[in-house]
Amino acid sequence: MRPTDAPLDNLHGGRKGQCLVLSAPSGAGKSTLVARLRAEFPGFAYSISCTTRAPRQGEEDGVHYHFLTRETFISRRDAGYFAEWAEVHGNFYGTPKGPVEEMLGKGQDILFDIDVQGAMQLKRVFPQALYVFILPPTREVLEKRLRGRGTDAEDVIAKRLKNALGELKEAANFDYLIINDDLEEAADELRAVYVAGRARAVCRPGLLPGLLAQWESA
Ligand code: ADP
Ligand code: 5GP
């Protein structure tokens, strides 16, 4: 597998950063799939969101999220700090605009792990990104995974399970639907979407002019 900054692309005028936007009902396995993809493609940049939710055990500020108070989040939101933001399961979440613009300027691929409302906001302003929805195989499996994860209280689990319905109703607006039943198969599909997306003409604006120039100067 070629690394993200493939030498051939650099030879032909560089490539544009690709954005991969992932949404899923809580517990469908999105974090698990994201971790696998990032391990396989270390050059992948990750958009670190801001949230007003309390950190879970093992979560680090500035690594998993930027953990903010509600007041700070609201003042940043009102100052136009976020590319998108949404209230999800009773907490605010948002994607800081600055780092995304900086990473794209460097031609880096970026992964977004955001909810359906945020993904649809991004799609309006950024239609060229890849929009992927991760589905649980069944409602029962989703409930088992939420419980099995052992990170959330019963009332939080119940809220997330209930909210899954509204999220699933938005799935038809995404470009790709991946069912996370067998983890290997789901990870393969996600990798395929990403790798094929990187080869799109829109991500390789310098490729054809670079090659044509060789003929013109021959
Ligand atoms: P999300 O980020 O979508 O909320 P997680 O990645 O935290 O979900 O996954 C929820 C739970 O389900 C975790 O305990 C995870 O280990 C487990 N899990 C994820 N994918 C699978 C799978 N394909 N088969 C079985 N368990 C899975
Ligand atoms: P969790 O609390 O489980 O980490 O995340 C809850 C939900 O918030 C998930 O669906 C996650 O994708 C979403 N989320 C995380 N960051 C953002 C963000 O920056 N914007 C939006 N809109 N949703 C986010």
Side-chain angles (χ1 to χ4, degrees), residues 37-207:
L37 197 67
R38 292 182 72 197
E40 187 171 342
F41 298 97
F44 226 137
Y46 182 69
S47 166
I48 303 171
S49 298
C50 294
T51 183
T52 58
R53 150 166 100 57
R56 295 192 185 118
Q57 205 177 9
E59 283 184 333
E60 272 181 62
D61 188 38
V63 177
H64 299 90
Y65 281 106
H66 300 290
F67 295 99
L68 305 181
T69 62
R70 251 180 129 78
E71 294 68 40
T72 307
F73 190 100
I74 287 167
S75 78
R76 287 194 188 180
R77 180 196 67 186
D78 295 348
Y81 180 84
F82 297 116
E84 64 71 34
W85 70 274
E87 186 166 4
V88 190
H89 315 308
N91 293 298
F92 287 136
Y93 294 82
T95 302
K97 211 187 282 179
V100 170
E101 284 167 356
E102 195 181 311
M103 291 185 283
L104 283 180
K106 289 188 201 152
Q108 274 184 293
D109 293 337
I110 314 178
L111 214 145
F112 297 79
D113 170 345
I114 61 178
D115 91 306
V116 291
Q117 307 169 71
M120 292 303 103
Q121 286 176 49
L122 275 191
K123 201 171 189 192
R124 278 194 289 277
V125 292
F126 202 46
Q128 65 273 37
L130 302 166
Y131 292 87
V132 179
F133 195 92
I134 313 285
L135 299 147
T138 63
R139 186 184 185 281
E140 195 187 347
V141 165
L142 185 65
E143 188 169 358
K144 262 194 200 139
R145 285 189 190 159
L146 279 169
R147 273 225 175 82
R149 185 163 67 181
T151 51
D152 299 300
E154 265 313 303
D155 61 324
V156 174
I157 291 174
K159 189 191 261 181
R160 288 178 178 229
L161 202 53
K162 186 162 173 270
N163 290 350
L165 175 63
E167 291 162 339
L168 286 166
K169 283 182 177 166
E170 291 291 329
N173 296 317
F174 284 70
D175 304 320
Y176 299 91
L177 301 177
I178 295 181
I179 303 169
N180 182 22
D181 187 2
D182 179 83
L183 185 60
E184 294 305 321
E185 274 178 32
D188 276 354
E189 283 195 1
L190 185 58
R191 182 192 305 109
V193 166
Y194 168 55
V195 172
R198 280 167 38 187
R200 289 190 309 174
V202 72
C203 291
R204 294 181 156 162
L207 188 62

